[in-house]
Each structure stands twice: as C-alpha cells, then as structure tokens.
Amino acid sequence: MTDAPAPGEVAILIARYGRRWLISEAAGGGYYAVRRHGLSNVMCTTTLGEMARRLAAERERGNRP
C-alpha cells in the first residue's frame, strides 16, 4: 500500500479486514476503521498504508493465544 491510494486499495483492506472492521474514508481526509464486534475500538489514520499496518498488527495480536 502506498500513501497515495490507487483505485481499489480501500476495497483490498475491506476484503482483508472487513469482517471485523468497518473501513471508510473520513470526511476531513484520511481513513477510519470501527470494530464491528466486541469492544468498541476506532482507528483513525492519514493514509491507507498506515491503516493497513495497524489492522495487520491488530489481527496479529488477536491471533495470539
């Protein structure tokens, strides 16, 4: 993922993480993700690359026993 989103990059994140997160562009710029189930968590980033890294890290933490 790059800092300048290519067409379809949001769709890639939605396909990868959309089961657990609602991912969208923010009105003032950047992106946000809201956890769909469990504890209420909101993630805000300025770039899709940063969002992808944070979602991947969150998934990794969730997969640990």
Side-chain angles (χ1 to χ4, degrees):
M1 301 265 153
T2 63
D3 288 347
E9 279 190 325
V10 173
I12 291 169
L13 286 183
I14 291 170
R16 189 174 296 154
Y17 303 107
R19 193 162 169 231
R20 293 185 180 189
W21 295 89
L22 170 66
I23 303 164
S24 186
E25 293 184 51
Y31 302 86
Y32 70 91
V34 178
R35 188 184 304 270
R36 292 183 181 271
H37 307 288
L39 298 174
S40 178
N41 283 335
V42 176
M43 228 183 263
C44 298
T45 65
T46 55
T47 67
L48 280 176
E50 182 183 357
M51 179 67 72
R53 286 186 295 278
R54 290 182 65 188
L55 289 170
E58 182 70 21
R59 175 187 272 175
E60 188 64 31
R61 278 191 295 274
N63 287 340
R64 292 182 186 158

